[in-house]
Amino acid sequence: MLLCQTTITSVERLEALSRLRFSNRIRALEIYSELECRLPKSLRYGPSLDTTKSPCIGTTLSESDVRNLFSAIFRRLPNLKSITLRAPPKLEGMADKLCYPVISTSNPLAMGIMGFRPELSRPYPPKHTHIMHALPIYRVMHALVDTIRLAPQQLEEFRVVGFGLKWQTWLLGTPKSLFEAISPALRGLTSLNLELDMATLKTDAYMLALVKLINTNANLQALALSVGDQGIDKYQNRNESWAPLLQLLGGSPPFRLRSLHINGLVTSTTAPTLARIINVHSSTIHRIVLKNTNFHYPNTIRAFFTACANSAVSYYETENFYFHERTMIVGRYLADDILEYDNAELHEDVNNNHCDSDASCHDWVKVNWDSFEKEDKWKLVFENEQGQKRRSYMYDNFMNVVEMVKEGTLRDS
């Protein structure tokens, strides 16, 4: 994979590489959006605050640079199959959250200017409020999307990653406008990965646009969707914004998925259940990853895990799986060790009484919960992708959860 930043130096270097003979071997390109603060460091980190309120954040590429250079690059990369657009990170000392819009409007393109407070927790924060003139940066990003749309290649993989914050997504316009602009280049797509602020708490417009993007694509095998920091933070709140996508996946889609990865999913009371979706794709699906999921009725644990058990899934992972708006499913296992040596400290009972002198202290069994890393606290993972475990490993693990429901250990209503 080649990595290119949105700076004139980096793009010109890529353009030169595209003229070489080995350009036929380039199959993947990652375009890393780069912003910069144009103020001199003496003002940026000086003793006094800069209160000019003039834009300081920009990109070194112009709209015409993007159209001319990237159009030529794509023409010279005949075997390019994968393109990744990576979001611009926050600048040094810049807080992620939007401080203020100069113009208050729901239309991000009319936003004009955005300001970001310094991040005071940093050791050397800037002494001024970063000001971004969003429209010129949007035009650069739109030109990039437009050149991808007009590229002669038929892409197999398209990734838009890291646009989890509202201000980052605004630089692309809206998810709906992005999907509409890029759709001609994605008709034969096998893998789609989107990390965007999809505003799932407010509207289903973006899900409807996503459905329109993929509902005629018979080649799609991998779908990954993360709905942005705000949507993920609020995943425990019910809404029906996901219904259009769930209806497609659990209906009669023209594709059969091998991988499904969703972060921030809220299930629906009207759309097909996750069990139904797994059943539709059961013969092909190998990976399921669900993070920050609101799993509620009519979805049931029994039906979902039964569907997974009867599918081709060889990797299953959930994290923050909030079911029936009551609790989380986590992974914990009992561990036991046979103690084959005489150690009185290990053989004390709760009253601190040692073994009787005539009793054998050998072959005691020590039982405890397996320890987990702190970051894995709310995870559940079943994995047999390499086929190293017994053939029934995945089935047995899924059905163990079903048995817990039958026995009343898990309340499924």
Side-chain angles (χ1 to χ4, degrees), residues 163-179:
F163 289 82
L165 298 169
K166 188 180 294 293
W167 70 266
Q168 292 169 322
T169 298
W170 277 350
L171 298 181
L172 288 173
T174 66
K176 183 175 183 292
S177 64
L178 172 65
F179 300 158

Side-chain angles (χ1 to χ4, degrees), residues 58-79:
T59 178
T60 61
L61 277 180
S62 68
E63 180 181 354
S64 60
D65 288 334
V66 169
R67 293 189 183 277
N68 295 332
L69 291 171
F70 275 103
S71 295
I73 289 168
F74 291 145
R75 285 197 302 269
R76 299 192 192 101
L77 302 180
N79 295 316

Side-chain angles (χ1 to χ4, degrees), residues 79-135:
N79 295 316
L80 184 65
K81 298 299 181 183
S82 172
I83 292 180
T84 299
L85 298 182
R86 188 167 293 277
K90 63 179 182 180
L91 297 174
E92 183 178 0
M94 183 178 100
D96 276 335
K97 293 185 178 179
L98 182 66
C99 169
Y100 62 87
V102 173
I103 303 173
S104 179
T105 175
S106 60
N107 181 358
L109 299 186
M111 195 72 180
I113 297 175
M114 296 183 286
F116 300 86
R117 292 189 183 94
E119 189 177 42
L120 299 179
S121 61
R122 297 291 292 268
Y124 302 103
K127 298 297 184 180
H128 73 287
T129 297
H130 282 299
I131 306 295
M132 178 188 297
H133 195 182
L135 190 56

Side-chain angles (χ1 to χ4, degrees), residues 267-326:
T267 56
S268 168
T269 59
T270 59
T273 63
L274 294 186
R276 167 62 184 168
I277 292 171
I278 299 303
N279 286 331
V280 168
H281 303 270
S282 62
S283 62
T284 59
I285 195 160
H286 289 276
R287 288 181 62 90
I288 299 174
V289 179
L290 300 173
K291 297 185 177 181
N292 302 299
T293 304
N294 189 336
F295 181 96
H296 60 71
Y297 192 80
N299 287 270
T300 65
I301 295 295
R302 182 190 296 223
F304 176 59
F305 278 84
T306 300
C308 290
N310 294 312
S311 72
V313 172
S314 58
Y315 184 89
Y316 172 89
E317 177 184 336
T318 58
E319 182 176 358
N320 293 339
F321 192 85
Y322 184 56
F323 75 101
H324 300 323
E325 298 171 310
R326 183 186 303 116

Side-chain angles (χ1 to χ4, degrees), residues 156-168:
E156 295 178 359
E157 180 181 37
F158 184 64
R159 302 171 68 236
V160 180
V161 297
F163 289 82
L165 298 169
K166 188 180 294 293
W167 70 266
Q168 292 169 322

Side-chain angles (χ1 to χ4, degrees), residues 243-371:
L245 181 61
L246 298 175
Q247 286 164 354
L248 172 65
L249 297 180
S252 300
F255 51 82
R256 290 296 180 267
L257 293 176
R258 292 177 58 86
S259 173
L260 179 64
H261 185 157
I262 299 181
N263 191 354
L265 170 65
V266 180
T267 56
S268 168
T269 59
T270 59
T273 63
L274 294 186
R276 167 62 184 168
I277 292 171
I278 299 303
N279 286 331
V280 168
H281 303 270
S282 62
S283 62
T284 59
I285 195 160
H286 289 276
R287 288 181 62 90
I288 299 174
V289 179
L290 300 173
K291 297 185 177 181
N292 302 299
T293 304
N294 189 336
F295 181 96
H296 60 71
Y297 192 80
N299 287 270
T300 65
I301 295 295
R302 182 190 296 223
F304 176 59
F305 278 84
T306 300
C308 290
N310 294 312
S311 72
V313 172
S314 58
Y315 184 89
Y316 172 89
E317 177 184 336
T318 58
E319 182 176 358
N320 293 339
F321 192 85
Y322 184 56
F323 75 101
H324 300 323
E325 298 171 310
R326 183 186 303 116
T327 188
M328 302 281 188
I329 288 185
V330 299
R332 290 293 185 271
Y333 301 90
L334 282 176
D336 59 273
D337 295 311
I338 298 177
L339 306 177
E340 298 180 350
Y341 48 87
D342 189 355
N343 186 330
E345 291 182 2
L346 294 175
H347 302 153
E348 294 179 0
D349 63 20
V350 293
N351 296 317
N352 294 321
N353 294 320
H354 294 283
C355 303
D356 294 334
S357 57
D358 295 334
S360 171
C361 286
H362 293 282
D363 297 331
W364 285 55
V365 178
K366 180 182 178 181
V367 179
N368 63 358
W369 290 105
D370 265 357
S371 60

